[in-house]
């Protein structure tokens, strides 16, 4: 069974999705297009995984660093899981580039290089945004590049974490501006 419930955040309504044991999705109004609209979600508001996700989000949106993770179970390929695991290591209030993530993966596998674009695809497929902090990934030279929730949301999340976004570059207008 798939469970869901809404959480009201500063970014708007967020859909929290659980398999009953762990969080499998966190979708803002912009990400809702990636959540299957034909699925009927059972009420998951009383599930421990949902309660923990809400508690995490409450702490985060209060401008503090949560000191725990709710149980997470994002579905994805081994490569995507590897990228998402790296995202979870990016410290609160810091950023990492797609290229730096690619270098880490290449080194781990004894390869000379890894495609930053492939990393970008995995980052963009993250089904549990905010908690798995894909907003902390930026392009080379401080470029603010794609974000499923829109670049304005990305900037707002980075600012919430105390990152000086004035040094980051938004090359093109977000469709969510």
């Amino acid at each position: 069974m798939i469970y869901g419930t809404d959480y009201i955040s500063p970014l708007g309504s967020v859909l929290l999705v659980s398999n009953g044991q762990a969080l499998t999705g966190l979708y803002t109004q912009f990400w809702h297009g990636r959540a299957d609209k034909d699925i009927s979600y059972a009420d998951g508001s009383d599930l421990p995984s949902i309660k923990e996700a809400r508690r995490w989000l409450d702490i985060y949106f209060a401008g503090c660093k949560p000191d725990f993770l709710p149980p997470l179970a994002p579905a994805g390929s081994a490569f995507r899981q590897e990228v998402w695991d790296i995202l979870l290591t990016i410290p609160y209030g810091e950023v990492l580039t797609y290229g730096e993530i690619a270098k880490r993966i290449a080194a781990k596998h004894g390869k000379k290089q890894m495609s930053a674009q492939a990393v970008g695809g995995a980052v963009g497929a993250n089904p549990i945004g905010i908690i798995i902090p894909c907003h902390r990934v930026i392009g080379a030279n401080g470029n603010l590049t794609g974000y499923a929730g829109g670049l304005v949301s990305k900037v707002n999340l980075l600012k919430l974490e105390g990152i000086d976004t004035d040094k980051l570059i938004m090359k093109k207008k977000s469709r969510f501006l």
Side-chain angles (χ1 to χ4, degrees), residues 2-9 11-19 22-37 39 41 50 53 57 61 73-76 80 84 123-132 134 147-150 153 157:
I2 300 174
Y3 301 89
T5 192
D6 286 321
Y7 173 85
I8 304 304
S9 82
L11 300 178
S13 180
V14 173
L15 174 63
L16 300 173
V17 180
S18 174
N19 62 10
L23 198 67
T24 58
L26 185 157
Y27 305 100
T28 70
Q29 60 189 345
F30 300 117
W31 285 315
H32 276 169
R34 292 178 45 205
D36 191 333
K37 293 193 183 288
I39 292 177
Y41 298 101
I50 298 279
L57 291 167
F61 284 120
R80 286 180 176 181
W84 300 336
V123 170
N126 173 14
I128 307 177
I130 303 171
I131 295 175
I132 299 178
C134 48
Y147 186 62
S153 293
L157 292 170

Side-chain angles (χ1 to χ4, degrees), residues 81-132:
Q81 295 287 341
E82 190 171 7
V83 170
W84 300 336
D85 286 344
I86 291 172
L87 297 183
L88 287 167
T89 70
I90 304 171
Y92 179 95
E94 295 183 27
V95 295
L96 199 61
T97 68
Y98 296 97
E100 290 168 325
I101 294 171
K103 286 178 186 174
R104 286 185 186 183
I105 293 172
K108 179 180 175 183
H109 294 282
K111 297 182 177 183
K112 286 188 175 186
Q113 62 184 14
M114 164 63 63
S115 165
Q117 288 80 12
V119 167
V123 170
N126 173 14
I128 307 177
I130 303 171
I131 295 175
I132 299 178

Side-chain angles (χ1 to χ4, degrees), residues 27-68:
Y27 305 100
T28 70
Q29 60 189 345
F30 300 117
W31 285 315
H32 276 169
R34 292 178 45 205
D36 191 333
K37 293 193 183 288
D38 295 329
I39 292 177
S40 294
Y41 298 101
D43 180 19
S45 56
D46 289 331
L47 289 173
S49 58
I50 298 279
K51 286 182 177 181
E52 284 296 290
R54 283 184 166 174
R55 187 166 72 92
W56 191 99
L57 291 167
D58 286 345
I59 293 166
Y60 181 80
F61 284 120
C64 300
K65 175 186 171 188
D67 62 355
F68 69 97

